[in-house]
């Protein structure tokens, strides 16, 4: 079969895989209130009892923060009965009210939450202080009137009074949270159950949603400094748009890797269903290149990236891609794998994959050794970045590419 036909067939297969994965997740349309008024309990009740009510909504609700659920937390098979879980998150935009999404995606038993707060303000679910989340499901809270500041830490506390099975979590957050059992409080760098905080803000038109791997999650960045490249981007946007980070360390685009479902599977859940999604940034592919089993065909990676782009365009979203960054010196580097990376980058730069792109490769490579990260940006393993490196990535994104309405390419007309 000619190679062009192989890629066309691959795109169809990947799209079919994504559709099948999405179809296995039940979903309903979430509510929004008129204007700035809180929603009545009758409208929120259905969402609270729907185990997979999506966080997507129209109106003036936008995500100020998100994280992607990664899996079931090791050594927490019974949950944390009688404990209060505090997740500390960093906002991108502010608002006059908030709502939270709690996920039991990787749980095998119902999860009972009997009290919850946002910055000490009580949160309700369908008018009730407690909520039970079905195994595999999620719930969105009622709106709570609480001032949420932009570019600030925000506390979301909730108690799980009884054993609840495996804990849905996100590790390696680079943010200090805590767990309290009534006697002792432990610091942690894990986010548990919480996957989104939305705010009500009439002036913000939407959120930039970023799907990525460890380089988006911020591996190598300073804990509690909020120096991930998405934080840098949020600072540059200055509250005009929310920024939602769906990065997972170790995540791959096409196949199951060391962490999390692949981007092709989780794209609907972690990106397209985010409240107020306006623009998508796709920063995936380097782990397909360098992790075992390695993907030797750049065309398959490009086809996967195109599949994500087409799914986003089908929702009317602008899609920005990023080139794959150097990793010579990392243990998995080989000339053959580097050639795959360069071939993927060539296609991204051609303008045929995304509506726009940010050249992350050019931003961090060593001019004297372009297959390596420049020393000033290297975390030390030749793959991940320090705070200065992440700043270089965040500053490379063209803000106009995020804010403009999408214009169809000539071949789409």
């Amino acid at each position: 079969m000619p190679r062009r036909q192989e890629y066309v067939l691959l795109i169809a297969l990947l799209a079919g895989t994504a559709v099948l994965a999405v179809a296995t997740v039940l979903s309903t349309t979430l509510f929004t209130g008129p204007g700035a008024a809180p929603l009545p309990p009758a409208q929120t009740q259905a969402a609270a009892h729907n185990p997979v009510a999506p966080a997507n909504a129209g109106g003036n609700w936008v995500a100020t923060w998100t994280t992607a659920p990664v899996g079931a937390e090791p050594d927490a098979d019974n949950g944390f009965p009688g404990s209060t879980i505090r997740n500390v998150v960093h906002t991108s935009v502010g608002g006059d009210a908030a709502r939270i999404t709690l996920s039991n995606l990787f749980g095998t038993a119902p999860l009972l939450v009997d009290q919850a707060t946002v910055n000490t303000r009580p949160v309700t679910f369908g008018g009730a202080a407690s909520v039970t989340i079905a195994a595999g499901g999620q719930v969105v809270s009622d709106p709570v009137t609480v001032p949420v500041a932009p570019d600030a830490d925000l506390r979301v506390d909730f108690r799980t009074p009884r054993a609840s099975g495996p804990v849905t979590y996100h590790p390696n957050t680079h943010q200090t949270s805590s767990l309290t059992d009534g006697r002792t409080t432990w610091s942690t760098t894990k986010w548990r159950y919480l996957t989104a905080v939305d705010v009500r803000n009439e002036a913000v038109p939407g959120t930039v949603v970023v799907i990525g791997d460890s380089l988006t999650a911020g591996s190598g960045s300073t804990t509690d400094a909020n120096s991930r490249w998405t934080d840098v981007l949020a600072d540059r946007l200055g509250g005009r748009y929310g920024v939602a980070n769906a990065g997972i360390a170790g995540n791959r685009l096409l196949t199951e890797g060391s962490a999390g479902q692949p981007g092709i599977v989780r794209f609907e859940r972690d990106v397209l269903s985010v409240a107020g999604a306006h623009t998508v940034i796709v920063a995936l592919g380097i782990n397909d290149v360098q992790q075992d089993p390695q993907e030797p065909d750049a065309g398959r990676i490009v086809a996967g990236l195109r599949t994500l782009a087409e799914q986003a365009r089908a929702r009317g979203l602008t899609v920005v891609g990023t080139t794959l960054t150097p990793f010579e010196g990392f243990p998995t580097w080989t000339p053959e794998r580097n050639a795959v990376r360069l071939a993927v980058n060539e296609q991204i730069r051609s303008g045929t994959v995304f509506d726009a792109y940010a050249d992350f490769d050019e931003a961090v490579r060593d001019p004297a050794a372009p297959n390596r990260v420049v020393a000033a940006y290297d975390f030390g393993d030749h793959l991940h970045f320090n705070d200065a490196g992440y700043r270089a990535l965040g500053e490379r994104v063209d803000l106009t590419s995020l804010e403009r309405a999408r214009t169809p390419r000539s071949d789409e007309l």
Side-chain angles (χ1 to χ4, degrees), residues 90-172:
H90 196 75
T91 64
S92 55
V93 292
D96 63 1
R99 65 186 184 195
I100 62 175
T101 301
L102 301 180
S103 174
N104 194 22
L105 179 63
F106 297 102
T108 59
L111 168 66
L112 174 62
V113 172
D114 66 354
Q115 62 182 38
T117 60
V118 172
N119 279 356
T120 74
R121 298 285 182 90
V123 177
T124 59
F125 302 85
S130 65
V131 66
T132 298
I133 309 168
Q138 69 176 29
V139 296
V140 181
S141 77
D142 300 335
V144 54
T145 302
V146 57
V148 176
D151 191 24
D153 287 349
L154 179 141
R155 284 172 31 190
V156 179
D157 296 5
F158 46 88
R159 187 173 66 184
T160 54
R162 64 190 186 206
S164 56
V167 176
T168 296
Y169 87 131
H170 184 109
N172 308 316

Side-chain angles (χ1 to χ4, degrees), residues 289-301:
V289 171
Q290 64 87 17
Q291 282 185 359
D292 291 322
Q294 184 249 355
E295 176 51 64
D297 188 347
R300 282 180 52 85
I301 297 173

